[in-house]
Amino acid sequence: MKKVLVILLSAVILLSIVGCASDKEVLNVYNWGEYIDMAVIDMFEEETGIKVNYNTFTTNEDMYVKLSKGRVSYDLVFPSDYMIQRMIQEDMLQKINMENIPNYSKIDDVHKNLSYDPNNEYSVPYLWGTVGILYNKTMVSDTVDSWDILWNEKYSQKIFMQDSQRDSMMVALIKLGYSQNTTDQTQIDEAMNLLIEQKPLVLGYLVDEVKDKMVQKEGALAVVWSGEAVDAMSMNEDLAYVIPKEGSNRWVDAMVIPKNAKNVSAAEKFINFMLRDDIMVMNANETGYSITSQSAIDLLDDEWKNNLAAFPTEDMLSRCSVFEYNAEATVLYNKAWTEVTAH
Amino acid sequence: MSKRRFSLPYLIWMSIFIVVPLLLVVFYAFTDNSSGKTVFTLDHIKAIFEPLYLKVIGRSLYMSLIATIVCFILGYPAAMILASKDFAKKSTMLILIVLPMWMNFLLRTYSWLSLLENEGLINRFLALIGFGQVQLMYNNFAVVLGMVYNFLPFMILPIYSVLVKIDKSVIEAAKDLGANNIKVFGRVIFPLSMPGVISGITMTFMPALSTFVISRLLSGGKITLIGNIIEQQFTITGDWGLGSALSLLLMVLIFVSMIFINKYGDESVGAGGLL
Amino acid sequence: MKKLLQRIYLFLILLFLYAPIIVLIVYSFNESKSRAVWQGFSLTWYQQLFTDSKILNALETTLLIALVASVVATVLGTFAALGIIKMKKKTFETVRTITYIPVLNPDIVTGVSLMMLFAFVGIELGFVSMLLAHITFCTPYVIISVLPKLYQTDISVYEAAQDLGATPFYALRKTIIPQLMPGIITGFLLSFTLSVDDFVISYFTTGGHVENLSMIIFSMARKGVNPKINAVSALLFVTVMALLLVVNKRELSSKKRISKNNKDTFLNREKQILSIGENEEK
């Protein structure tokens, strides 16, 4: 009996140590799920000899909770714009020495100096996109150019909304003519009520599943991110994507280095690596999302580089803005969204 | 006696991993730690009584109750048939009923997705025989169905295991004394099966009340139950105070329902029911 | 007529229980992703399943955690039962209540409370925290399985063995533990099953990239219908069926063995005491 206990205990201890023992240099990366071409990681490891531990998260909030409360440490993380703003405010990030990242100059200016990181000190853009309406041309007879159509009773139970607090609130706020970053309680309440009004027409509040459902014709209209739209459109030709005329959200996921990162130089190398044209093309092809450098975009196939969903015109982009983070407003948004889902 | 010392490792384990976490739940439910200092507060508890959360709680209770009743209506006859002496191949049948229980709970819930969709199998079948499309998913029906499907074996088995132990001579005696089948059931069989019924109800109602997976997967985010709100507090909003308060409420609800259920039966859950 | 109705009813119940699973399995062989249209028999999803490192890692994690957790829980729980049985009434009842807490508490509360514990104490969420959580919810079931058997054991055999010169530990090993074996094995199997099947508690107590099978299925299912999940279901179904048949056969033969043993104890008490050493053959 004692022998068994000892063996067991040592097995348990061994197992927990196994992960840590290694002589090689290690880089701990935390990114969204299915948001990279895994071959890129292999290439990086080969070229630099650095071992990459690649972990994934599903939402910004998930990632934030794990990083702030869970005492987990990463060298490189890929949050979204508003979350980066929050992390900067809460002193969770360190400034990036851009001189160690020569490829930074390849990034198009339109992605720089955005409100979440106005001086480009803490982040390097990775992939970006917009939010819009994906619809099935054969199932929707009206013109789709406004958020109003999602409140049209004709399409009751054929509408999908995002199970995402900020994206859904954004739709309602913009439809009402307000800013998607408002901190005004009355405006937030109005948006909340609008969404509650819409609920009987909504088939479901989905995230990743929505792409599959639209391809399978379960719904006629859905609020999606541009990358999902590009993917869905390639699987079903009846689908089209539009950024409503009232405006919408544009988002950027960028690379940041947490304050408690253990291997900053490896992180910088990885960032620089990701900005290479060939690597950008690989990631674009694998994820379907839009890359940030014109020189890389030019390498994509024609159908793609001319796809307005993936690469909207300046005019379209001009009606979109980024999410901003505000601590008090977040509580208000949380409350409002809970009211909508629990209704 | 040396033997008492044997339980020491477990007692230490139990204190750290069972008692302390529960104390933490109570702690977070009654304190506000947002300003960096710990302040006693009843805010979280008060929050539970806002109409929003009351609605969620009511909905959870309502749906779990319906699911439990459906499981009972479907499960009791099944258990009776299985336990009846004129039923052969009992052990095969038992294995067949137990098998789904051993399948992964998530897979069991997920399995309904392909069936319930608008373009899914059931609707296609309905279209074939001339019915229009029925919305079977993203609504209350789907969630209750998911609950019933997951927990039905947990209702059948305890009732069966008690029914099968009933002394046949008691039934025969009742019949000899002139009772018809209905009376025999109502006065003899059903009361004797109570411990099993209580187990079954407990093992159905409790998990149904606290689930968040079933509502997540089958309702498309439209139906929010207590479990969903608690989960959101710990993964998205980081509001441990509210999450803990709701967890306390859940524990209280379950505790109360167990007392309630036990009042309607003689046996306590501990001895006869669980295994 | 009554018999026919009964059979039909049971058949319908079974149909209800199995239809979704059968559909899952059938569609795991579908060439295309569509669950509406059958496009030909194919093993492609199984192939993809076996090359999907994420799923394979999850499977490995699940089995490893289940194994280690059940072994630790069984040892911890068995010794706990041995100690508990000697407790005075008040202590006994307190311990019993606390032991029942993980059993009666909803998974979500257990999971969430453990998560808070780990954060409070500063343990990083990952494999170890998940393992500790699993041990925690498995041990009570071992105690519940072993205690009844312990009440039934004949303690005089233990005392007699000591009288004959055996050390307490040896006597324990040779006289008590064998009598407890059915309970210990039940406890172990129960722990293993519960651990493999767990989702909610694992969901809250793990971190980073450590995921068990249920968690992988959950995140895949959230992305929509994926035939790889169907393939997993089919394989799981076959495994569970095989296991159940094995366990069932074992139950039947061990029942025969136990009743035989009981008869022996009754009639050949002294023979047993004298032949303690010979029990090793069993």
Side-chain angles (χ1 to χ4, degrees):
Chain A
M1 204 47 88
K2 273 199 188 141
K3 253 192 268 178
V4 180
L5 270 170
V6 168
I7 295 177
L8 273 172
L9 262 163
S10 33
V12 172
I13 295 175
L14 253 163
L15 281 164
S16 39
I17 292 181
V18 151
C20 319
S22 178
D23 309 333
K24 272 177 138 190
E25 210 188 323
V26 173
L27 174 69
N28 289 314
V29 179
Y30 204 23
N31 195 355
W32 296 82
E34 300 193 345
Y35 213 42
I36 199 174
D37 184 345
M38 296 303 276
V40 162
I41 300 181
D42 294 333
M43 280 173 70
F44 179 76
E45 287 182 323
E46 250 184 73
E47 287 182 26
T48 62
I50 303 175
K51 166 115 178 59
V52 176
N53 283 337
Y54 190 80
N55 295 342
T56 62
F57 56 85
T58 31
T59 66
N60 280 302
E61 287 68 26
D62 260 351
M63 178 274 303
Y64 175 82
V65 167
K66 287 247 152 75
L67 247 64
S68 57
K69 283 198 161 97
R71 322 257 187 127
V72 193
S73 116
Y74 289 99
D75 304 307
L76 188 66
V77 188
F78 289 63
S80 305
D81 36 48
Y82 72 94
M83 186 50 80
I84 296 178
Q85 193 179 7
R86 177 177 193 179
M87 290 167 87
I88 294 175
Q89 278 178 20
E90 295 181 9
D91 203 30
M92 288 168 75
L93 305 178
Q94 50 176 289
K95 294 197 184 177
I96 300 181
N97 188 343
M98 295 303 178
E99 292 180 19
N100 292 336
I101 306 178
N103 285 339
Y104 185 75
S105 52
K106 297 163 124 292
I107 298 183
D108 299 334
D109 288 336
V110 73
H111 302 299
K112 296 183 185 169
N113 304 326
L114 294 172
S115 55
Y116 63 91
D117 185 13
N119 299 319
N120 306 312
E121 296 171 302
Y122 293 92
S123 62
V124 178
Y126 173 55
L127 292 172
W128 66 281
T130 55
V131 174
I133 303 179
L134 177 70
Y135 63 99
N136 191 318
K137 293 180 281 201
T138 63
M139 292 167 80
V140 180
S141 46
D142 304 294
T143 341
V144 183
D145 62 354
S146 154
W147 291 115
D148 291 339
I149 196 164
L150 298 176
W151 272 257
N152 189 329
E153 302 216 345
K154 209 198 290 185
Y155 304 107
S156 172
Q157 292 302 311
K158 292 264 177 237
I159 301 174
F160 286 117
M161 293 289 284
Q162 281 278 328
D163 184 16
S164 156
Q165 185 206 86
R166 296 217 61 173
D167 292 301
S168 290
M169 289 293 284
M170 175 273 294
V171 172
L173 284 167
I174 292 192
K175 174 163 150 52
L176 288 167
Y178 303 138
S179 156
Q180 56 187 282
N181 290 311
T182 184
T183 54
D184 183 311
Q185 176 80 71
T186 358
Q187 294 181 355
I188 295 177
D189 283 343
E190 256 189 78
M192 173 183 84
N193 287 324
L194 193 57
L195 287 172
I196 292 181
E197 226 181 88
Q198 188 204 30
K199 204 165 177 188
L201 306 176
V202 177
L203 181 54
Y205 296 90
L206 308 174
V207 190
D208 299 319
E209 306 133 283
V210 76
K211 194 171 52 178
D212 179 58
K213 300 277 180 194
M214 286 300 286
V215 168
Q216 297 277 346
K217 297 175 57 154
E218 285 284 310
L221 300 145
V223 174
V224 298
W225 293 319
S226 47
E228 293 178 309
V230 171
D231 215 9
M233 281 157 65
S234 70
M235 293 194 274
N236 183 333
E237 298 191 332
D238 295 330
L239 298 176
Y241 178 80
V242 74
I243 299 177
K245 59 184 184 221
E246 298 98 342
S248 180
N249 167 265
R250 59 180 288 208
W251 54 270
V252 180
D253 290 328
M255 300 177 268
V256 299
I257 304 183
K259 260 236 157 91
N260 61 357
K262 298 196 181 111
N263 194 340
V264 176
S265 67
E268 289 169 347
K269 290 202 183 101
F270 196 83
I271 296 177
N272 202 47
F273 186 74
M274 294 296 253
L275 298 177
R276 270 172 34 180
D277 282 347
D278 56 331
I279 302 296
M280 275 204 187
V281 170
M282 284 172 76
N283 283 328
N285 277 318
E286 181 66 18
T287 64
Y289 282 99
S290 308
I291 42 185
T292 53
S293 160
Q294 191 61 52
S295 54
I297 295 174
D298 288 335
L299 297 174
L300 296 173
D301 63 50
D302 285 338
E303 215 190 293
W304 195 344
K305 52 180 180 210
N306 298 326
N307 186 337
L308 287 176
F311 302 105
T313 63
E314 272 209 39
D315 179 57
M316 293 177 182
L317 254 189
S318 64
R319 18 181 221 266
C320 299
S321 47
V322 203
F323 280 140
E324 287 164 25
Y325 174 75
N326 176 299
E328 288 88 26
T330 306
V331 177
L332 300 176
Y333 280 97
N334 276 343
K335 204 65 195 306
W337 182 241
T338 312
E339 284 257 11
V340 174
T341 51
H343 186 81
Chain B
M1 268 266 213
S2 64
K3 275 230 214 131
R4 227 188 326 213
R5 261 192 277 128
F6 284 160
S7 60
L8 199 58
Y10 172 66
L11 291 178
I12 298 178
W13 189 283
M14 175 181 97
S15 314
I16 302 178
F17 291 100
I18 302 180
V19 177
V20 173
L22 276 186
L23 291 176
L24 278 175
V25 172
V26 175
F27 173 73
Y28 279 106
F30 287 101
T31 58
D32 185 347
N33 297 290
S34 53
S35 53
K37 281 195 291 186
T38 305
V39 175
F40 178 82
T41 176
L42 284 174
D43 284 347
H44 304 305
I45 306 289
K46 277 196 260 172
I48 300 179
F49 292 99
E50 285 170 28
L52 170 66
Y53 297 117
L54 283 180
K55 188 190 290 185
V56 172
I57 296 169
R59 181 188 295 142
S60 307
L61 282 169
Y62 176 68
M63 293 180 83
S64 321
L65 204 61
I66 304 252
T68 308
I69 293 176
V70 173
C71 277
F72 180 74
I73 295 178
L74 290 179
Y76 200 100
M80 275 193 77
I81 298 175
L82 269 179
S84 64
K85 58 174 156 53
D86 40 320
F87 194 80
K89 292 203 199 155
K90 233 182 253 196
S91 53
T92 330
M93 267 304 181
L94 265 179
I95 294 187
L96 283 177
I97 298 223
V98 168
L99 235 180
M101 261 167 75
W102 281 48
M103 280 282 281
N104 187 291
F105 160 70
L106 270 120
L107 286 176
R108 295 211 300 275
T109 313
Y110 163 84
S111 63
W112 282 98
L113 286 177
S114 352
L115 285 170
L116 296 175
E117 287 177 320
N118 283 341
E119 299 283 323
L121 281 169
I122 296 186
N123 268 311
R124 289 193 158 241
F125 176 70
L126 288 175
L128 268 176
I129 58 176
F131 277 112
Q133 225 182 44
V134 179
Q135 202 196 320
L136 298 166
M137 204 157 126
Y138 306 133
N139 53 16
N140 290 342
F141 173 76
V143 179
V144 173
L145 178 67
M147 289 179 180
V148 170
Y149 183 72
N150 270 306
F151 304 127
L152 185 60
F154 291 97
M155 178 67 84
I156 297 180
L157 277 181
I159 300 181
Y160 164 80
S161 65
V162 172
L163 280 176
V164 97
K165 290 195 195 121
I166 292 180
D167 194 345
K168 304 283 187 273
S169 52
V170 177
I171 301 178
E172 282 163 24
K175 286 206 179 139
D176 286 343
L177 288 167
N180 61 22
N181 277 335
I182 298 181
K183 268 238 172 89
V184 170
F185 178 75
R187 298 291 205 95
V188 181
I189 298 182
F190 188 71
L192 283 176
S193 68
M194 261 319 196
V197 172
I198 289 179
S199 279
I201 293 181
T202 312
M203 297 213 285
T204 309
F205 185 69
M206 271 172 41
L209 188 61
S210 57
T211 187
F212 72 90
V213 172
I214 300 179
S215 36
R216 252 298 189 77
L217 287 181
L218 294 177
S219 80
K222 290 208 294 194
I223 294 177
T224 307
L225 303 178
I226 301 182
N228 297 96
I229 305 251
I230 297 180
E231 191 249 340
Q232 281 167 18
Q233 305 318 311
F234 286 97
T235 54
I236 303 181
T237 62
D239 188 348
W240 285 14
L242 180 62
S244 301
L246 282 168
S247 303
L248 269 183
L249 177 74
L250 198 54
M251 286 196 279
V252 166
L253 280 174
I254 288 182
F255 185 63
V256 164
S257 13
M258 274 178 54
I259 297 185
F260 190 70
I261 296 172
N262 276 310
K263 259 198 159 175
Y264 278 88
D266 311 307
E267 219 56 60
S268 66
V269 177
L274 273 160
L275 279 173
Chain C
M1 184 57 188
K2 184 172 163 196
K3 250 194 181 177
L4 184 64
L5 277 175
Q6 287 183 343
R7 280 180 188 277
I8 294 179
Y9 185 75
L10 274 184
F11 176 73
L12 286 173
I13 294 273
L14 282 177
L15 183 67
F16 173 63
L17 286 176
Y18 282 93
I21 300 180
I22 295 179
V23 166
L24 267 189
I25 298 180
V26 166
Y27 273 92
S28 70
F29 295 107
N30 189 4
E31 178 85 49
S32 80
K33 239 190 179 187
S34 159
R35 45 265 185 211
V37 180
W38 176 263
Q39 280 176 351
F41 185 91
S42 157
L43 285 175
T44 160
W45 305 112
Y46 288 90
Q47 275 176 321
Q48 288 200 18
L49 176 61
F50 287 111
T51 51
D52 187 328
S53 58
K54 229 176 160 197
I55 297 183
L56 292 176
N57 279 335
L59 186 63
E60 192 188 302
T61 306
T62 308
L63 290 174
L64 192 59
I65 293 236
L67 196 63
V68 178
S70 343
V71 169
V72 176
T74 305
V75 170
L76 200 63
T78 306
F79 277 101
L82 287 171
I84 290 175
I85 204 174
K86 286 282 174 184
M87 287 179 177
K88 295 200 203 105
K89 191 161 191 249
K90 271 235 169 124
T91 341
F92 174 79
E93 295 199 335
T94 318
V95 175
R96 188 180 63 176
T97 312
I98 300 183
T99 302
Y100 265 103
I101 290 180
V103 175
L104 298 173
N105 235 357
D107 279 351
I108 191 171
V109 177
T110 310
V112 153
S113 61
L114 280 170
M115 178 185 115
M116 291 200 289
L117 174 74
F118 293 132
F120 191 67
V121 167
I123 296 181
E124 204 171 294
L125 291 181
F127 187 87
V128 176
S129 58
M130 183 152 90
L131 183 64
L132 293 172
H134 278 237
I135 297 176
T136 305
F137 73 75
C138 287
T139 310
Y141 288 94
V142 176
I143 299 180
I144 294 176
S145 310
V146 172
L147 263 183
K149 278 274 170 244
L150 201 50
Y151 280 121
Q152 289 172 0
T153 34
D154 189 357
I155 220 182
S156 53
V157 187
Y158 171 75
E159 286 163 4
Q162 287 193 281
D163 286 342
L164 288 166
T167 62
F169 213 44
Y170 188 80
L172 183 75
R173 237 182 41 181
K174 293 294 181 184
T175 62
I176 304 275
I177 303 279
Q179 292 184 68
L180 293 179
M181 258 317 175
I184 295 180
I185 295 192
T186 308
F188 176 81
L189 287 175
L190 206 53
S191 299
F192 193 82
T193 316
L194 287 170
S195 171
V196 167
D197 204 33
D198 179 68
F199 169 67
V200 179
I201 299 181
S202 308
Y203 181 74
F204 288 104
T205 55
T206 190
H209 56 299
V210 181
E211 291 180 297
N212 71 358
L213 196 59
S214 305
M215 290 174 63
I216 289 271
I217 298 174
F218 184 66
S219 53
M220 282 167 76
R222 302 250 336 257
K223 296 208 174 79
V225 176
N226 184 333
K228 274 193 270 186
I229 306 181
N230 296 40
V232 172
S233 317
L235 291 172
L236 214 70
F237 183 73
V238 166
T239 312
V240 165
M241 190 158 61
L243 271 173
L244 265 176
L245 286 172
V246 164
V247 168
N248 203 46
K249 276 226 173 91
R250 209 186 159 281
E251 273 268 319
L252 286 170
S253 60
S254 81
K255 271 197 182 130
K256 289 186 201 150
R257 245 193 297 136
I258 288 179
S259 58
K260 213 166 142 220
N261 274 351
N262 283 341
K263 249 194 273 169
D264 285 350
T265 323
F266 232 36
L267 302 168
N268 301 333
R269 235 201 189 151
E270 275 144 281
K271 195 169 173 206
Q272 274 228 295
I273 297 170
L274 288 168
S275 58
I276 284 173
E278 282 169 34
N279 277 354
E280 214 157 342
E281 261 89 60
K282 286 214 196 104

